[in-house]
Amino acid sequence: MPRTKTKLFAGNRLQQLRKREGMTQAAMAERVGISLSYLNQLERNHRPLPTHLLQNLCERFTLTPAWFSDTREAHIIQALRETMADPVFKTAPLPFSKMTEAANHSPELCQAFLTLYRAYTFHQEQHFETALSPSPSLEPYDVVGNWVQEHRNYFHELDRAAEEFYKTFTLKDNQLITGLTQHLYDRHGLHITQSTDMESTGLVWRIDQHKRQIYLPHNQPHESTLFFLAQIIGQLEQSRLITDILRREGPKDYNAQELARVYLSNYFAGALILPYARFLEQAEIMRYDIDELRRHFSVSFEQVCHRLSTLQRTGAEGIPFYFLKLDIAGNILKSFSANRFSQARFGGPCPLWNVFRAFATPGQIQVQLSQTTDDAIYLNVARTVGHEGSSYADRPRQIAMVLGCSITDAAKTVYAAGLNLDDHSMVVPIGPGCRACGRDQCSHRSLPVSGRVLDTGSHARGVVPYRALPEE
């Protein structure tokens, strides 16, 4: 299996582990059988953490390799690259090596800098739009997204609560709607009513406590009904647990807290209809075949993709996937990552990504091997989702999603069939958006790299009419 050039720098995690165990550097070095100076270099991120030492640490401290992941640092580096590409920094360009060093040594300082930059960009937008009211430096949606990312899109208490709830049923998966419907009546005295005017109200479900009715659209797919019933149960019965999670470790801003509450309610619903242990077992048996899993559990393509991105329970991890959902204009609607992959925060995603090709072949799966600018290689699976128009006047939203994992995990999936994972000649180079991508020879480039000196060339012309001089 090929290996990427990415090295694991885990100095912060090593320090956290040592302090958690109440050990000095000398005691830790003796425990794992290395020299004190070597451990000091590892903790300062002067040396990468080698595989054999990673295995040794996991065995001696009962941890998994995911605990030492540098996913957080990788996402910070990506955000720094995009931020430093802003022309405002052109007089003080920061080489990529310095960004990597900063993210590895001072992630909290980097986060503070990124927060300050977002506050600056928001102020600029407000200035040009002549808006009157101030706003926090980070939008609530971004705050929640960062918070979910810090948890690697896995919330253990809610996941276990959903799994225990599922165990109370003895029904088959395709009868789960019947079980949830009966539970809502037995526990809460609520009846399900199919409503013909829900679509015109813009609602997907509504509870009328006075009439003891739950109103659902009359023509929605089976999997949507299943998810909405699970959402309602989560809202009615898991409110206290969700509140405890938010009070203990959630975002502090009120709007962000409310968005996080919605997210956790949705998380519970997904964990209920696809209980962790049963779903992971079938995923491994079916080699992560999304369509087979969709049919087996009677759920949607999107629900399977989303659940696959959450399988990070300690001691029972699935493949670390990233998952993105976006529309045909490139607007990102959902974004979760359990691996190093990080999408563009400013500007549109790379047009070479197979998620855009999916729009040209609706309903068909597109498979691609891609390499990001940090030399990591991913297996990407993309497909459109959504419904057809119900009338000439209907304009259904065109949506696609992409699920991706590291090439080191690709062979565990059915999507690696027919691919030569050792041959990287057909790997597609994708970037974080043109503004921050340093690939000068890309014919798909729409604008120059920001923050770099341009050389238009007086005696030759390339695929694009400009090139950026190398960083010093």
Side-chain angles (χ1 to χ4, degrees), residues 294-309:
R294 174 176 61 83
R295 286 190 290 269
H296 180 84
F297 288 99
S298 300
V299 295
S300 70
F301 191 91
E302 178 178 351
Q303 288 165 349
V304 171
C305 287
H306 189 283
R307 188 56 167 148
L308 286 174
S309 73

Side-chain angles (χ1 to χ4, degrees), residues 432-450:
C434 292
R435 196 178 84 173
C437 180
R439 292 190 170 107
D440 297 317
Q441 306 306 318
C442 177
S443 59
H444 294 262
R445 178 173 289 285
S446 59
L447 71 166
V449 184
S450 294

Side-chain angles (χ1 to χ4, degrees), residues 249-304:
E249 55 188 88
K252 303 307 177 186
D253 174 71
Y254 175 79
N255 285 338
Q257 273 206 358
E258 292 306 295
L259 282 178
R261 184 179 298 278
V262 172
Y263 172 81
L264 292 179
S265 177
N266 292 344
Y267 184 96
F268 175 85
L272 171 56
I273 65 178
L274 296 170
Y276 195 102
R278 295 183 73 249
F279 182 72
L280 176 59
E281 179 184 18
Q282 288 301 317
E284 292 177 339
I285 290 172
M286 297 176 178
R287 298 185 62 206
Y288 294 88
D289 189 313
I290 301 170
D291 283 314
E292 279 204 51
L293 288 166
R294 174 176 61 83
R295 286 190 290 269
H296 180 84
F297 288 99
S298 300
V299 295
S300 70
F301 191 91
E302 178 178 351
Q303 288 165 349
V304 171

Side-chain angles (χ1 to χ4, degrees), residues 376-392:
I377 299 177
Y378 295 93
L379 174 72
N380 306 313
V381 180
R383 204 200 82 167
T384 56
V385 296
H387 66 277
E388 297 179 352
S390 57
S391 69
Y392 176 71

Side-chain angles (χ1 to χ4, degrees), residues 161-415:
E163 199 167 30
E164 291 303 314
F165 183 90
Y166 183 89
K167 289 179 181 177
T168 63
F169 296 97
T170 56
L171 303 170
K172 295 180 180 179
D173 293 310
N174 58 5
Q175 296 176 316
L176 187 55
I177 284 183
T178 304
L180 297 184
T181 301
Q182 189 64 45
H183 175 85
L184 284 164
Y185 176 72
D186 293 342
R187 177 78 179 269
H188 303 283
L190 294 170
H191 297 269
I192 306 298
T193 299
Q194 304 294 324
S195 172
T196 57
D197 63 353
M198 290 291 288
E199 187 173 342
S200 63
T201 64
L203 301 175
V204 293
W205 57 262
R206 179 172 65 86
I207 300 176
D208 188 325
Q209 291 287 3
H210 178 69
K211 295 182 178 180
R212 312 305 298 164
Q213 297 285 338
I214 296 174
Y215 294 98
L216 297 173
H218 75 289
N219 59 349
Q220 68 182 354
H222 163 95
E223 58 267 19
S224 296
T225 298
L226 179 62
F227 186 76
F228 294 152
L229 293 178
Q231 269 187 328
I232 293 168
I233 290 173
Q235 181 170 302
L236 294 174
E237 301 181 20
Q238 300 300 323
S239 178
R240 179 175 295 181
L241 176 56
I242 290 173
T243 298
D244 288 344
I245 293 172
L246 292 174
R247 183 183 297 119
R248 183 174 66 243
E249 55 188 88
K252 303 307 177 186
D253 174 71
Y254 175 79
N255 285 338
Q257 273 206 358
E258 292 306 295
L259 282 178
R261 184 179 298 278
V262 172
Y263 172 81
L264 292 179
S265 177
N266 292 344
Y267 184 96
F268 175 85
L272 171 56
I273 65 178
L274 296 170
Y276 195 102
R278 295 183 73 249
F279 182 72
L280 176 59
E281 179 184 18
Q282 288 301 317
E284 292 177 339
I285 290 172
M286 297 176 178
R287 298 185 62 206
Y288 294 88
D289 189 313
I290 301 170
D291 283 314
E292 279 204 51
L293 288 166
R294 174 176 61 83
R295 286 190 290 269
H296 180 84
F297 288 99
S298 300
V299 295
S300 70
F301 191 91
E302 178 178 351
Q303 288 165 349
V304 171
C305 287
H306 189 283
R307 188 56 167 148
L308 286 174
S309 73
T310 69
L311 301 180
Q312 294 302 300
R313 179 178 293 178
T314 301
E317 295 90 346
I319 292 177
F321 285 103
Y322 77 81
F323 166 60
L324 272 89
K325 176 180 176 182
L326 66 165
D327 65 20
I328 196 169
N331 298 308
I332 295 174
L333 310 177
K334 288 184 181 180
S335 173
F336 308 109
S337 180
N339 53 42
R340 291 172 55 88
F341 185 88
S342 180
Q343 87 286 352
R345 291 171 179 246
F346 312 106
C350 181
L352 291 171
W353 210 4
N354 65 332
V355 68
F356 291 108
R357 290 186 177 271
F359 287 109
T361 56
Q364 297 181 24
I365 287 180
Q366 294 280 339
V367 178
Q368 177 192 60
L369 288 176
S370 66
Q371 185 173 35
T372 52
T373 51
D374 64 352
D375 292 327
I377 299 177
Y378 295 93
L379 174 72
N380 306 313
V381 180
R383 204 200 82 167
T384 56
V385 296
H387 66 277
E388 297 179 352
S390 57
S391 69
Y392 176 71
D394 190 15
R395 296 292 184 268
R397 197 174 193 180
Q398 298 186 62
I399 301 295
M401 54 191 56
V402 57
L403 190 75
C405 69
S406 168
I407 193 173
T408 56
D409 294 313
K412 301 174 187 176
T413 76
V414 67
Y415 303 105

